[in-house]
Amino acid sequence: MAQELSHARGLLRFATAGSVDDGKSTLVGRLLHDSKSVLSDQLDAVERTSQARGLETVDLSLLVDGLRAEREQGITIDVAYRYFATPTRTFILADTPGHVQYTRNTVTGASTADLVVILTDARTGVVAQTRRHAAVAALLGVPHLLLAVNKIDLVDYDQGVFDAIAGEFSAYAKGLGIHEITSIPISALNGDNVVTRSERIDWYDGPSVLEHLETVDLAADTDEALRFPVQYVIRPRSDELPDYRGYAGRVGAGTVRPGDEVVVLPSGRRSTVTGIDTADGPRPSATKGDSVTLLLSDDVDLSRGDLIAGVQDAPTPVVEFTATVTQLADKPLKPGARTLLRYGATSTRALVTSLDHLLDIDSLTYGPAPESLALNDIAQVTIRTADAVPVEAYRPGGAVGSLLIIDPADGTTLAAGMVGDRLAALHPETTTPAAPAAETEEDWLS
């Protein structure tokens, strides 16, 4: 029942980003509080803490401060996720740190987002961190940006200030290739235009932040070919189901229905979908994000890591490709590194044969090839794999084309990346071709 309700509401994954002290925690707290997504005991605790600190009003940023404290102690994940729902939509919110040295966390939080909310202080306007977060969103192909011009009360709700900031940001974001940009003047502290529209900003007639999140159109984002990485082959061999053979996984992109012709990769064999099973029974279709079990008309040799794709535009398995990666670990990544590549449910040995270009995230231009990648670096690299992998160019939301580079010695994730040259996808006129792959370390791949 809960799954049906969530499906009917529609799901929006969004991330919040912004500089330190731009009011991001207050916005998240206000959003949760005013949408009645806070438990009473949580609110009681925040009220008591606010009173103990001598505050005249409740500090809603405290609703997420507990998560931040955990992050600072290193006992939980770097990106904190919140789940809440309204009568019209379900939300997964990725709360990312604002410090520049945590660019990797912004990448992680925004990598699966349909929309990124970027905050800026109305008193300072568009700053370097604002542009950096917009650039990260563009590299990740996030299709929707919301600029929340916060603390508008501190500039006397001045429309001219808002218009100037919104215009500057819109021009910059459009230059990155992002075409759907919405700007909203807010005061997270006072609740202006966060959940309900503010009467104090009578010159603004657009939606509140929550209204925009509830109504942003995601239909065009799901018009994709089917991609279904197989996580598990189900064969119960029971008296009731002696011949049952299903392929469990999560739809990465597109929609699948019984009767659809599909191709299984890397074998290339074709078959037809005969059914879609779930824990709640058969379904007439499954779309991006749904976890289901597919039944095929043929007894195809298929195992974990294989990909079921639509017959149109199916990817071709390759052993060498270009990727844009973000360094996640302190251990530097160097050319010739022997690694494991995780792509969907596939895991194979791989070499990072070359570090081709280091990306300047502020100017969105490539620099010379680095000797190694340090924490938070973003670069174009060339990867060679031991087994052919059906990779394809990255798509927004991480539907396809996302990967992990793992240290085989201890399982540490060294880098996360996107197949293809993401900067070339944004500005082909400013990029240079990737360097040819070096023929080295053949013994690691054999």
Side-chain angles (χ1 to χ4, degrees):
M1 180 64 183
Q3 184 179 11
E4 292 177 357
L5 185 58
S6 174
H7 196 72
R9 283 172 169 164
L11 171 66
L12 176 73
R13 298 173 182 268
F14 72 101
T16 56
S19 301
V20 178
D21 296 331
D22 276 356
K24 187 163 56 64
S25 295
T26 304
L27 171 64
V28 173
R30 173 64 67 182
L31 195 58
L32 296 173
H33 175 268
D34 289 6
S35 63
K36 304 186 187 308
S37 303
V38 181
L39 298 176
S40 59
D41 59 336
Q42 291 177 305
L43 186 58
D44 290 343
V46 169
E47 289 175 345
R48 287 195 300 272
T49 303
S50 299
Q51 292 173 358
R53 294 181 179 180
L55 302 176
E56 296 180 356
T57 59
V58 177
D59 183 358
L60 295 176
S61 69
L62 296 174
L63 287 169
V64 293
D65 273 354
L67 295 173
R68 179 181 296 110
E70 289 179 346
R71 288 198 295 272
E72 290 173 350
Q73 295 175 53
I75 58 174
T76 189
I77 57 177
D78 291 322
V79 180
Y81 291 90
R82 287 278 188 167
Y83 306 84
F84 67 101
T86 67
T88 57
R89 183 164 271 179
T90 300
F91 301 95
I92 299 178
L93 186 163
D95 182 21
T96 68
H99 295 76
V100 63
Q101 63 266 38
Y102 293 140
T103 299
R104 58 173 176 159
N105 306 82
T106 306
V107 173
T108 301
S111 62
T112 58
D114 304 302
L115 180 149
V116 173
V117 179
I118 299 178
L119 273 84
T120 189
D121 189 322
R123 297 170 298 177
T124 55
V126 176
V127 297
Q129 194 72 330
T130 314
R131 292 190 289 272
R132 184 174 292 111
H133 288 152
V136 168
L139 286 172
L140 291 166
V142 177
H144 311 278
L145 275 190
L146 168 57
L147 178 70
V149 182
N150 193 24
K151 304 184 183 181
I152 195 71
D153 53 309
L154 298 184
V155 294
D156 298 325
Y157 298 97
D158 190 323
Q159 182 180 1
V161 172
F162 170 76
D163 288 344
I165 295 173
E168 180 183 355
F169 180 79
S170 180
Y172 176 77
K174 286 182 179 177
L176 298 174
I178 300 174
H179 299 292
E180 184 167 316
I181 306 148
T182 301
S183 298
I184 301 177
I186 70 168
S187 170
L189 182 65
N190 298 328
D192 294 308
N193 285 339
V194 176
V195 170
T196 58
R197 301 188 192 189
S198 172
E199 296 179 353
R200 289 176 287 216
I201 312 177
D202 55 2
W203 45 264
Y204 172 78
D205 59 1
S208 68
V209 171
L210 184 61
E211 287 175 338
H212 181 72
L213 297 176
E214 286 182 319
T215 57
V216 64
D217 185 10
L218 303 178
D221 305 336
T222 59
D223 185 19
E224 303 166 323
L226 172 67
R227 298 292 184 266
F228 185 83
V230 175
Q231 293 282 352
Y232 188 71
V233 179
I234 300 176
R235 299 192 66 185
R237 303 178 190 272
S238 63
D239 293 338
E240 296 78 11
L241 299 169
D243 300 320
Y244 187 93
R245 186 183 181 94
Y247 309 101
R250 182 172 177 267
V251 180
T255 300
V256 60
R257 300 178 180 82
D260 287 352
E261 188 179 8
V262 295
V263 59
V264 176
L265 299 173
S267 70
R269 288 196 58 183
R270 293 195 176 196
S271 187
T272 302
V273 177
T274 59
I276 302 172
D277 284 349
T278 71
D280 299 318
R283 283 178 52 173
S285 67
T287 190
K288 178 182 175 181
D290 291 339
S291 295
V292 298
T293 298
L294 298 185
L295 308 179
L296 302 182
S297 59
D298 304 285
D299 188 13
V300 181
D301 182 12
L302 203 159
S303 59
R304 172 180 168 81
D306 288 348
L307 178 72
I308 297 176
V311 294
Q312 301 295 329
D313 300 323
T316 301
V318 297
V319 296
E320 185 174 282
F321 59 92
T322 296
T324 304
V325 304
T326 302
Q327 180 73 7
L328 301 181
D330 292 320
K331 180 180 179 180
L333 186 65
K334 298 180 179 179
R338 303 177 183 187
T339 68
L340 294 178
L341 175 77
R342 179 71 56 82
Y343 183 82
T346 299
S347 183
T348 182
R349 286 175 293 171
L351 285 175
V352 178
T353 56
S354 62
L355 308 180
D356 304 322
H357 305 285
L358 186 66
L359 181 67
D360 184 328
I361 195 65
D362 294 317
S363 63
L364 269 190
T365 57
Y366 278 136
E371 295 183 356
S372 64
L373 295 187
L375 184 65
N376 292 312
D377 278 351
I378 298 177
Q380 177 191 319
V381 304
T382 299
I383 298 172
R384 193 170 185 191
T385 58
D387 304 304
V389 182
V391 299
E392 56 188 316
Y394 175 85
R395 295 184 199 168
V400 298
S402 57
L403 58 88
L404 296 176
I405 297 175
I406 298 170
D407 187 339
D410 57 13
T412 300
T413 299
L414 299 173
M418 300 160 279
V419 176
D421 182 348
R422 290 300 301 162
L423 185 55
L426 297 176
H427 296 293
E429 72 281 2
T430 64
T431 57
T432 56
E439 298 289 336
T440 59
E441 307 288 357
E442 292 292 342
D443 54 335
W444 175 246
L445 304 179
S446 61

